Amino acid sequence: MMAPTLGGSDDILLPDFPRGPLQAYRARASFSWKELLLFLEGEDMLRFKKAIFTALENDPLFARSHGADLSMEKYRELNFLRCKRIFEYDFLTAEEMLKSPLKVSVLIHCLGMYDWSLAAKYLLHILTFGSAIYSSGSERHFKYIQKIFNMEIFGCFALTEVSHGSNTKAIRTTAHYDPATEEFIIHSPDFEAAKFWVGNMGKTATHAVVFAQLHTPGGQHHGLHSFVVQIRDPKTLLAMPGVMVGDIGKKLGQNGLDNGFAMFHKVRIPRQNLLNRTGDVTPEGTYVTPFKDARQRFGASLSNLSFGRVSIMGMSIVNLKLAVSIALRFSATRRQFGPTDKEEIPVLEYQMQQWRLLPYLAAAYALDHFSKSLFLDLVELQQGLLGGGHGARQAELGREIHALASAGKPLASWTAQQGIQECREACGGHGYLAMNRLGDLRNDNDPNCTYEGDNNVLLQQTSNYLLGLLARRVQDGACFESPLKTVDFLEAYPDILGQRFMGSSVADCLESAVPLAAYRWLVCYLLRESYQKLTQEKRSGSNDFQARNDCQVYHCRSLALAFIELTAVQRFHQHVHHPSVPPSLRAVLGRLSALYALWSLSRHAALLYRGGYFSGEQAGKLLESAILALCSQLKDDAVTLVDVIAPPDFVLDSPIGRADGELYKNLWTTVLQGSNVLARPSWWPEFSANKPAVGRLRSKL
């Protein structure tokens, strides 16, 4: 089955929106939504997205079932069939994925906009499982790739265990090599070592990339490695001998995805099933590796986690885009109160509603650019590794991207979590109605804060990276520099700490260069404070583990967040001020950049005052006034900015967020689509209509 092809004019690619209640705001926009969309996405990517959306909308298998509560078993059956259909459409071949990695991300996002259970099932099979084999294995493993694409096998990624998640080095599943049979023996010593939370494993996965501690004869331990292990028969889906595999049950969201567990009892697999790019075992049992440093080998073996974290950044931002699209279209059509009793105005006209929602709209634009650019950085890193690059620059690039991904996921997932909740509340009671989707978005986004690393734990990776740079500067006089130049500004570390806020008017603050300067100072200040705190803890007798543990709250955590916010603000600032930006788009993009930067910075106002960068009440007042001024300036552009990021109505699937703006008509139509909405309860006994409640109660007594 082939996806629909698109041709013709831009009017077909980007049709005008239907006229209706939103037209008044669209008419007041300062820019063309089509021009901005083409600038941000490019025609080729827009045609690709349209092909996906059109295929889903025209296929009965993807029909929306409003008002129908599917059982979890039925939902998972439907989700598997939909996943299979996505492969039949063949939106991207293996060759196209390698040629245009960004399209892979776009495909996942398009599927996620429709249903994250579907996107996750597809992603875990073809990307997480498939790319683990491709990037961690060698030519002997490429036989699996075609089987992945035609769904002869179905895969999952088994790292997490019942008793260990973030601490991957402590994983307890073992792989002992037996040279007599040239096999590895995969074993779970107890239930605490069971693989757990593994997506696709619950019902449908036939194979898993299993992480286990590698042991060779003579009692030698070589740390964590990954293996391809068959866990079910592809024809019967029955467990393989020695494998206990099952489903972990209902979750808070994404229940179309079957998360599962597995225990292995001395399961034998061929020696060749070791994914051997970072380390291999000869038939005789000798361990060999191209890495001289065990830490480098361990980091390379977990490189897929950075892909996972950057992917989660993009998924989180998609959720934020959907939520703000729904909330802002609702706010532009929902009228409440007004200057007179006879005139009600859209709630978007209220400053409070603007202040609640427009910073999250700006965040969606800024963080979307950041996640895409970081994804491309990661592709560069992966291509270098696959090309055999193990030099100093490649290693440093890996460390820098690891630090960015480790803080980027918390920033994106927390921003989406908070933004979706604000959107839910900003839509009042209608936001609480399940049909309007904000509840599902909130629940489906929630695990982004946890999987691939708990957010607060991940932030320690970023602060450790920054503290390590400062330690090398203090001890060896090393320069602050990195391949992506995210830390190069620290070379002026002492001078930056001497700077102070110099703004004297709101106009001075309406440009993102002002918060950028403040952010650079803030990162330098928090880096100095965290380093001094860590040094003080060690001098007082704490070992390194305890000292770092006692530096997280108010120091290292804040440092990591400030650094990643600065990086996101910096990249979006550079993007919107690039010469390639059409003149007609510069003003609106500049306002988005400044609003995101100032709004993010405002949450650090106490630190800016405590460290002396701000002094007197004027600085704080200017910051607040600038945020409100930018909200006011962006208010008339809000609906059109949403038009750029919102998917088609069928995919958005929210009556209060539809593009025609017919708020109440769409609500009423969807309510009536529900099954038996006008009928009395099926459980109400026939005799109840004629028998008084008191009489029934007495008869029971």
Side-chain angles (χ1 to χ4, degrees), residues 136 157-161 164-176 184 186-187 189 193-195 209-216 220-228 264 273-281 287-291 293-305 309 452:
S136 299
F157 186 82
L159 174 63
T160 298
E161 295 178 354
H164 286 96
S166 299
N167 187 7
T168 52
K169 289 184 179 179
I171 291 298
R172 297 178 62 242
T173 302
T174 58
H176 285 84
F184 287 102
I186 308 296
H187 186 65
K195 296 300 180 183
V209 169
V210 175
F211 282 78
Q213 302 291 348
L214 172 59
H215 298 266
T216 51
Q220 296 186 57
H221 175 225
H222 304 284
L224 203 63
H225 286 68
S226 53
F227 305 79
V228 178
F264 305 95
N273 283 28
L274 167 64
L275 295 173
N276 61 333
R277 188 172 294 276
T278 61
D280 204 352
V281 174
Y287 181 76
V288 292
T289 177
F291 293 90
D293 187 338
R295 289 178 301 176
Q296 281 189 349
R297 188 205 60 75
F298 179 74
S301 70
L302 294 179
S303 61
N304 278 304
L305 293 181
R309 288 163 188 163
E452 302 291 347

Side-chain angles (χ1 to χ4, degrees), residues 619-642:
K621 286 183 175 180
L622 286 177
L623 188 64
E624 293 172 353
S625 297
I627 291 170
L628 294 177
L630 286 164
C631 286
S632 178
Q633 292 173 16
L634 284 166
K635 180 254 300 178
D636 286 345
D637 283 329
V639 169
T640 307
L641 286 167
V642 161

